[in-house]
Amino acid sequence: MALSYNRIVIKIGSNVLTREDGLPDLERISHLVAQISEIKKQGKEVILVSSGAVASGRSLLSVSDKFDAVATRQLFASIGQVKLINTYSELFQKHNLVCAQVLVTKEDFRDRLHYLNMQNCFSILLQHNVVPVVNENDVISVTELMFTDNDELAGLIASMLKADALIILSNVDGIYNGDPKKREFEGDSGNNYFCFKSFFFYNGPKVAIWKRWDDDQITHGP
């Protein structure tokens, strides 16, 4: 299916990437990469916001419950991010595409210099047909430093890059289906996108396509 958008942010949640036992679902990840590659063949720019580092780390190492939960999450994220980006790299290579890892924190959106550096990084990656794979840096993002979830991160990335659409793959309920001018969002949407279509994706996940609704009101950063 041809898409009318030129720059698309796609967010894939942990529940979409993992099996019922919490470990990575490689078959599903492979299928998602194949479909993203088809979008790339249409000449579109795609930015992938992907969870899954902690789940990938959990598949490599078992940790006793006696360790602190925050430290255990940092451990899983540290080793899991390597496995996650290697998995994406190998799968995208099968479609003759190169991907890049971009790890960010909430502070990167608060500091002007960090924000501009991040923006420049995305720009050069997209100019060279690279697929940025973005995730929160869970190694240093703990407690109050964390994003609410990767939906928030994806919205901020979409707004910063003035994406034409934000596609969220999720298996949770509660996705809005209207214009925020007419219907209030719970909390601060912060990205000026509204859900105009939602449907079920191959093999289960729900898809919500969020469309930018007012270019003049897009926040361009700090």
Side-chain angles (χ1 to χ4, degrees):
M1 179 180 70
L3 297 174
S4 58
Y5 317 116
N6 292 315
R7 178 171 291 181
I8 306 165
V9 174
I10 300 175
K11 181 265 180 180
I12 307 178
S14 294
N15 290 337
V16 174
L17 294 176
T18 55
R19 307 181 313 216
E20 289 185 4
D21 60 5
L23 299 180
D25 188 333
L26 297 180
E27 181 180 355
R28 179 172 289 176
I29 296 172
S30 177
H31 188 79
L32 291 169
V33 167
Q35 295 197 61
I36 291 171
S37 300
E38 287 300 314
I39 295 175
K40 288 288 295 177
K41 288 180 181 178
Q42 298 176 25
K44 312 299 183 183
E45 295 178 337
V46 177
I47 300 93
L48 176 59
V49 177
S50 175
S51 304
V54 173
S56 295
R58 193 177 289 115
S59 72
L60 296 172
L61 195 67
S62 297
V63 178
S64 170
D65 292 339
K66 70 179 182 180
F67 291 99
D68 177 74
V70 173
T72 299
R73 179 179 174 82
Q74 290 175 302
L75 171 64
F76 285 148
S78 297
I79 61 177
Q81 192 61 50
V82 176
K83 180 176 181 180
L84 180 65
I85 196 62
N86 282 340
T87 298
Y88 276 123
S89 180
E90 291 171 5
L91 292 173
F92 275 116
Q93 282 180 0
K94 293 179 180 179
H95 301 276
N96 298 314
L97 288 171
V98 175
C99 70
Q101 177 177 257
V102 181
L103 298 178
V104 303
T105 68
K106 184 173 284 189
E107 290 300 310
D108 293 323
F109 289 90
R110 294 173 176 171
D111 182 279
R112 180 64 176 171
L113 181 58
H114 284 203
Y115 185 90
L116 293 176
N117 287 340
M118 184 166 48
Q119 202 171 43
N120 290 337
C121 177
F122 280 113
S123 178
I124 193 69
L125 290 173
L126 294 174
Q127 288 175 37
H128 286 80
N129 201 38
V130 175
V131 179
V133 180
V134 189
N135 196 5
E136 181 172 12
N137 191 341
D138 292 319
V139 176
I140 60 175
S141 295
V142 295
T143 60
E144 70 278 0
L145 298 178
M146 298 174 65
F147 293 102
T148 304
D149 52 32
N150 268 3
D151 288 0
E152 178 187 5
L153 172 58
L156 290 169
I157 294 292
S159 181
M160 177 180 68
L161 299 178
K162 294 189 281 187
D164 301 306
L166 166 57
I167 301 177
I168 295 178
L169 276 64
S170 175
N171 64 354
V172 300
D173 295 326
I175 294 176
Y176 284 98
N177 211 9
D179 189 330
K181 291 180 180 179
K182 300 176 181 179
R183 185 172 184 176
E184 290 296 322
F185 279 82
E186 293 180 3
D188 180 16
S189 63
N191 53 49
N192 294 322
Y193 287 76
F194 74 96
C195 178
F196 75 99
K197 182 181 294 185
S198 63
F199 49 90
F200 285 96
F201 196 74
Y202 170 85
N203 204 19
K206 181 183 292 183
V207 175
I209 302 181
W210 299 71
K211 183 177 179 182
R212 193 171 50 179
W213 58 271
D214 191 345
D215 290 345
D216 294 333
Q217 296 185 37
I218 291 295
T219 301
H220 295 290

Coordinates of all heavy atoms in Angstrom, one line a residue, residues 14 50-61 63 68-86 101 103-104 135-142 146:
S14 N 7.3 -2.7 23.7 CA 7.9 -4.0 24.2 C 6.9 -5.2 24.0 O 7.4 -6.3 23.7 CB 8.3 -3.8 25.7 OG 9.3 -2.9 25.8
S50 N 12.1 2.1 19.1 CA 11.9 0.7 19.5 C 12.2 0.5 20.9 O 13.3 0.8 21.4 CB 12.7 -0.2 18.6 OG 12.7 -1.6 19.0
S51 N 11.3 -0.2 21.6 CA 11.6 -0.7 23.0 C 12.3 -2.1 22.8 O 12.6 -2.5 21.7 CB 10.3 -0.9 23.7 OG 9.6 0.4 23.8
G52 N 12.5 -2.8 23.9 CA 13.0 -4.1 23.8 C 14.4 -4.4 24.3 O 14.8 -5.6 24.3
A53 N 15.1 -3.4 24.7 CA 16.5 -3.6 25.2 C 16.5 -4.4 26.5 O 17.3 -5.4 26.6 CB 17.2 -2.2 25.5
V54 N 15.6 -4.1 27.4 CA 15.6 -4.9 28.7 C 15.2 -6.3 28.4 O 15.8 -7.3 29.0 CB 14.6 -4.2 29.7 CG1 14.5 -5.1 30.9 CG2 15.1 -2.8 30.1
A55 N 14.2 -6.5 27.6 CA 13.7 -7.9 27.2 C 14.9 -8.7 26.6 O 15.1 -9.9 26.8 CB 12.5 -7.8 26.3
S56 N 15.6 -8.0 25.7 CA 16.7 -8.7 25.0 C 17.8 -9.0 26.0 O 18.4 -10.1 25.9 CB 17.3 -7.7 23.9 OG 16.4 -7.5 22.9
G57 N 18.1 -8.2 27.0 CA 19.1 -8.5 28.0 C 18.6 -9.6 28.9 O 19.4 -10.5 29.3
R58 N 17.3 -9.7 29.2 CA 16.8 -10.7 30.0 C 17.0 -12.1 29.3 O 17.1 -13.1 30.0 CB 15.3 -10.5 30.3 CG 14.8 -11.3 31.4 CD 13.3 -11.0 31.7 NE 13.2 -9.7 32.4 CZ 12.7 -8.6 31.9 NH1 12.1 -8.6 30.7 NH2 12.6 -7.5 32.6
S59 N 17.0 -12.1 28.0 CA 17.2 -13.4 27.3 C 18.6 -13.9 27.3 O 18.8 -15.0 27.0 CB 16.7 -13.2 25.8 OG 17.7 -12.4 25.1
L60 N 19.5 -13.0 27.8 CA 20.9 -13.4 27.8 C 21.5 -13.8 29.1 O 22.5 -14.5 29.3 CB 21.8 -12.3 27.2 CG 21.6 -11.9 25.8 CD1 22.3 -10.6 25.5 CD2 22.0 -13.0 24.8
L61 N 20.8 -13.3 30.2 CA 21.3 -13.4 31.5 C 20.2 -13.6 32.6 O 19.2 -12.9 32.5 CB 22.2 -12.2 31.8 CG 23.1 -12.2 33.0 CD1 24.3 -13.2 32.7 CD2 23.7 -10.8 33.3
V63 N 19.3 -13.2 36.6 CA 19.8 -12.4 37.7 C 19.0 -12.8 39.0 O 17.7 -12.9 38.9 CB 19.7 -10.9 37.5 CG1 20.1 -10.1 38.7 CG2 20.5 -10.5 36.3
D68 N 19.0 -5.2 43.5 CA 18.1 -4.0 43.4 C 17.5 -4.0 42.0 O 18.1 -4.2 41.0 CB 18.9 -2.7 43.6 CG 18.1 -1.5 43.4 OD1 17.3 -1.2 44.3 OD2 18.3 -0.8 42.4
A69 N 16.2 -3.7 42.0 CA 15.4 -3.7 40.7 C 15.9 -2.7 39.7 O 16.0 -3.0 38.5 CB 13.9 -3.4 41.0
V70 N 16.3 -1.5 40.2 CA 16.8 -0.5 39.3 C 18.1 -0.9 38.7 O 18.4 -0.8 37.5 CB 17.0 0.9 40.0 CG1 17.7 1.9 39.1 CG2 15.6 1.4 40.4
A71 N 19.0 -1.5 39.5 CA 20.3 -1.9 39.0 C 20.2 -3.1 38.1 O 20.9 -3.2 37.1 CB 21.2 -2.4 40.2
T72 N 19.2 -4.0 38.3 CA 19.0 -5.1 37.5 C 18.5 -4.6 36.1 O 18.9 -5.2 35.0 CB 17.9 -6.1 38.1 OG1 18.4 -6.6 39.3 CG2 17.6 -7.2 37.1
R73 N 17.6 -3.6 36.1 CA 17.1 -3.1 34.8 C 18.3 -2.4 34.1 O 18.4 -2.6 32.8 CB 16.0 -2.0 35.1 CG 15.5 -1.3 33.9 CD 14.4 -0.3 34.2 NE 14.0 0.5 33.0 CZ 13.1 0.0 32.2 NH1 12.5 -1.1 32.3 NH2 12.8 0.8 31.1
Q74 N 19.2 -1.7 34.7 CA 20.3 -1.2 34.1 C 21.2 -2.3 33.5 O 21.7 -2.1 32.4 CB 21.1 -0.3 35.1 CG 20.5 1.0 35.5 CD 21.2 1.7 36.6 OE1 21.5 1.1 37.7 NE2 21.6 2.9 36.3
L75 N 21.4 -3.3 34.2 CA 22.2 -4.5 33.7 C 21.5 -5.0 32.4 O 22.2 -5.2 31.4 CB 22.2 -5.6 34.8 CG 22.8 -6.9 34.4 CD1 24.3 -6.7 34.0 CD2 22.7 -7.9 35.5
F76 N 20.3 -5.3 32.5 CA 19.6 -5.9 31.3 C 19.6 -4.9 30.1 O 19.8 -5.3 29.0 CB 18.1 -6.2 31.6 CG 18.0 -7.5 32.5 CD1 16.9 -7.6 33.4 CD2 18.8 -8.5 32.3 CE1 16.7 -8.7 34.1 CE2 18.7 -9.7 33.1 CZ 17.6 -9.8 34.0
A77 N 19.4 -3.6 30.4 CA 19.4 -2.6 29.3 C 20.8 -2.5 28.7 O 21.0 -2.4 27.5 CB 19.0 -1.3 29.9
S78 N 21.9 -2.6 29.5 CA 23.2 -2.5 29.0 C 23.6 -3.6 28.0 O 24.1 -3.3 26.9 CB 24.2 -2.5 30.2 OG 24.0 -1.4 31.1
I79 N 23.3 -4.8 28.4 CA 23.7 -5.9 27.5 C 22.6 -6.1 26.5 O 22.9 -6.6 25.4 CB 23.9 -7.2 28.3 CG1 22.6 -7.6 29.1 CG2 25.1 -7.1 29.3 CD1 22.8 -9.0 29.8
G80 N 21.4 -5.8 26.8 CA 20.3 -6.0 25.8 C 20.3 -5.1 24.7 O 19.9 -5.4 23.5
Q81 N 20.8 -3.8 24.9 CA 20.8 -2.9 23.8 C 21.7 -3.3 22.7 O 21.4 -3.1 21.5 CB 21.2 -1.5 24.3 CG 21.0 -0.4 23.3 CD 19.5 -0.2 23.0 OE1 18.6 -0.1 23.8 NE2 19.2 -0.1 21.7
V82 N 22.8 -4.0 23.1 CA 23.7 -4.5 22.1 C 23.1 -5.6 21.2 O 23.1 -5.6 20.0 CB 25.0 -5.1 22.8 CG1 25.9 -5.7 21.7 CG2 25.7 -4.0 23.6
K83 N 22.4 -6.5 21.9 CA 21.7 -7.6 21.2 C 20.6 -7.0 20.3 O 20.4 -7.4 19.1 CB 21.1 -8.6 22.1 CG 20.4 -9.7 21.4 CD 19.9 -10.8 22.3 CE 19.2 -11.9 21.5 NZ 18.7 -13.0 22.4
L84 N 19.8 -6.0 20.8 CA 18.7 -5.5 20.1 C 19.1 -4.8 18.8 O 18.6 -5.0 17.7 CB 17.9 -4.5 20.9 CG 16.7 -3.8 20.3 CD1 15.6 -4.8 20.0 CD2 16.1 -2.7 21.2
I85 N 20.2 -3.9 18.9 CA 20.6 -3.2 17.7 C 21.3 -4.2 16.7 O 21.2 -4.0 15.5 CB 21.5 -2.0 18.1 CG1 21.7 -1.1 16.9 CG2 22.9 -2.5 18.5 CD1 20.4 -0.4 16.4
N86 N 22.0 -5.2 17.2 CA 22.6 -6.2 16.3 C 21.5 -7.0 15.6 O 21.6 -7.3 14.4 CB 23.5 -7.2 17.1 CG 24.8 -6.6 17.4 OD1 25.2 -5.6 16.8 ND2 25.5 -7.1 18.4
Q101 N 22.0 3.3 15.7 CA 21.5 3.3 17.0 C 21.5 4.8 17.5 O 22.6 5.4 17.5 CB 22.3 2.4 18.0 CG 21.9 2.5 19.4 CD 22.6 1.5 20.3 OE1 22.2 0.5 20.7 NE2 23.9 1.9 20.6
L103 N 20.5 6.6 21.1 CA 20.0 6.5 22.5 C 19.9 7.9 23.1 O 20.8 8.7 23.0 CB 21.0 5.6 23.4 CG 21.2 4.2 22.9 CD1 22.2 3.5 23.8 CD2 19.8 3.4 22.9
V104 N 18.7 8.2 23.7 CA 18.5 9.5 24.2 C 17.9 9.4 25.6 O 17.4 8.4 26.0 CB 17.5 10.3 23.2 CG1 18.0 10.3 21.8 CG2 16.1 9.6 23.3
N135 N 15.9 4.6 21.0 CA 15.4 4.1 22.2 C 15.9 5.0 23.4 O 16.9 5.7 23.3 CB 15.9 2.7 22.5 CG 15.1 1.9 23.5 OD1 14.1 2.4 24.1 ND2 15.6 0.7 23.8
E136 N 15.1 4.9 24.5 CA 15.6 5.6 25.7 C 16.8 4.9 26.2 O 16.9 3.7 26.2 CB 14.5 5.6 26.7 CG 14.9 6.4 28.0 CD 13.8 6.6 29.0 OE1 12.7 5.9 28.8 OE2 13.9 7.4 29.9
N137 N 17.8 5.7 26.7 CA 19.0 5.1 27.3 C 18.7 4.7 28.7 O 18.9 5.4 29.7 CB 20.1 6.2 27.3 CG 21.5 5.6 27.6 OD1 21.5 4.5 28.2 ND2 22.5 6.3 27.3
D138 N 18.2 3.5 28.8 CA 17.7 2.9 30.1 C 18.9 2.7 31.1 O 18.6 2.5 32.3 CB 17.0 1.6 29.9 CG 15.6 1.8 29.2 OD1 15.0 2.8 29.5 OD2 15.3 1.0 28.3
V139 N 20.1 2.8 30.6 CA 21.3 2.6 31.5 C 21.4 3.7 32.5 O 21.7 3.5 33.6 CB 22.5 2.4 30.6 CG1 23.8 2.3 31.5 CG2 22.5 1.2 29.7
I140 N 21.1 5.0 32.0 CA 21.2 6.1 32.9 C 19.9 6.8 33.2 O 19.8 7.7 34.0 CB 22.2 7.1 32.3 CG1 21.7 7.6 30.9 CG2 23.6 6.6 32.2 CD1 22.6 8.7 30.3
S141 N 18.8 6.4 32.4 CA 17.5 7.0 32.7 C 16.8 6.2 33.7 O 16.3 5.1 33.4 CB 16.7 7.1 31.4 OG 17.3 7.9 30.5
V142 N 16.8 6.6 34.9 CA 16.1 5.9 36.0 C 15.2 6.9 36.7 O 15.4 8.1 36.8 CB 17.0 5.2 37.0 CG1 17.8 4.1 36.3 CG2 18.0 6.3 37.6
M146 N 13.3 9.3 33.6 CA 12.8 8.5 32.5 C 11.6 9.2 31.8 O 10.9 10.1 32.4 CB 12.2 7.2 33.1 CG 13.3 6.3 33.7 SD 12.6 4.9 34.5 CE 12.0 4.0 33.1

